[in-house]
Amino acid sequence: MTFPNLKNLKLLLRIDLSSNMLTGSIPDSFQDLGNLNYLFLTNNSLSGPIPDWILSIKKHIDLSLNNFTKTSANNCQMPDV
C-alpha cells in the first residue's frame, strides 16, 4: 500500500498512519504540511533513508518499527516524551 495524497490538506495537525502496511519512502509532500504537530508512521514497511527535513521539524514523530536504510542523524533525542 502506498501513501495517500495529502498535499491539499495543509491544515492537518495530526497524521497517524500506523500499522497500515505502507511501503516505500516518506513522501516529500509531507514537509509542506506546515501545521503538522504529530506524525505517526509506526509499524509499517517503510524503507529508504529518513528524509533530512523530518529530522529538522522537531515535532512529535514516531517512525519506529519500519525498515529504513539510513539517516543523517547522529543520535535520537526525545524532547517531549
Side-chain angles (χ1 to χ4, degrees), residues 9 21 51 77-78 80:
L9 301 175
M21 297 186 290
Q77 298 178 2
M78 297 191 305
D80 298 313

Side-chain angles (χ1 to χ4, degrees), residues 5-57:
N5 185 349
L6 303 176
K7 68 180 181 181
N8 293 324
L9 301 175
K10 299 199 183 296
L11 298 178
L12 275 178
L13 298 174
R14 295 179 187 96
I15 296 175
D16 187 347
L17 295 173
S18 300
S19 302
N20 277 287
M21 297 186 290
L22 295 173
T23 59
S25 59
I26 299 171
D28 284 334
S29 61
F30 276 33
Q31 70 183 315
D32 297 331
L33 302 173
N35 292 321
L36 194 64
N37 288 318
Y38 297 87
L39 176 60
F40 300 113
L41 300 175
T42 309
N43 194 30
N44 284 291
S45 295
L46 300 175
S47 59
I50 297 173
D52 288 338
W53 62 265
I54 281 206
L55 301 173
S56 67
I57 60 175

